[in-house]
Amino acid sequence: PPAPAAPGDATDPGRIGKILDFMRTVGKLKEVKRTGWVRSGVSGAESVADHMYRMAMMGFALGKADGVDSAKCVKMALVHDLAESLIGDLVTEGESHRQDKITREEKIRLEREALHGICARLGGEAGEEIRSLWEEFETGDTAEARHLRDLDKFEMVLQAAEYEEAQSMGLPDFFRTTAGKFNTPVFKALDAEVRQRREKRGSGETDGGAKRPRTE
């Protein structure tokens, strides 16, 4: 008969169970709609998983161009909203009627508790790496975290512009709350390009958007 799997082995029944439970938790992100879009009346609002997927692809494509570790950026993008699989997408910014009745500090506390629980149940090196990457993103002290925090905001700006164009609607709040909030050169340029194109469509007169920087 085959030898029993050693503890920690990928085929160990206990480990297999933890991985399966983790994948089911991750799968919930496909069902969690991004709250800001839903409360703004967007039809067919994207899920948190949709948002994280494009963030990961952007991290893959833009990481090296911005002088950061692209592999780390992809991983960070994939874990930064993982806690929302348990607590949902809580909103603490933007227009007051679209916010949840919770402070930003309370939101972070709930996310941290949920994320640490997910990582503890998964265990192993993967669980610890996910926890570490999430904390790094929240702290925002490393080049990769700064890149991803800008990327997170920019993906939302880009999605807002796409919804406005596809559904003939106005979503100025998403542009107003992010105007002047980008810190890295690549995302300042990308944000300015999106706003410039939006203005050409006649949607951006009141969003406080930045002028596109000149390039020599």
Side-chain angles (χ1 to χ4, degrees), residues 32-68:
V32 179
K33 299 296 185 181
R34 296 263 283 169
T35 304
W37 306 133
V38 174
R39 293 178 182 169
S40 298
V42 169
S43 176
E46 67 170 347
S47 69
V48 175
D50 294 328
H51 166 65
M52 291 168 66
Y53 176 75
R54 183 153 66 175
M55 276 189 66
M57 287 300 295
M58 291 167 65
F60 179 40
L62 295 173
K64 290 183 179 179
D66 205 28
V68 294

Side-chain angles (χ1 to χ4, degrees), residues 145-191:
R146 290 190 292 271
H147 179 84
L148 256 292
R149 285 162 78 97
D150 267 9
L151 197 162
D152 191 17
K153 289 192 293 286
F154 174 72
E155 202 284 329
M156 183 183 71
V157 168
L158 178 58
Q159 187 63 70
E162 290 171 344
Y163 281 144
E164 283 190 333
E165 187 172 6
Q167 301 189 24
S168 300
M169 65 190 307
L171 295 167
D173 193 42
F174 294 91
F175 294 88
R176 179 184 60 78
T177 58
T178 54
K181 297 293 181 67
F182 293 90
N183 299 304
T184 57
V186 66
F187 287 109
K188 285 181 180 179
L190 285 165
D191 175 64

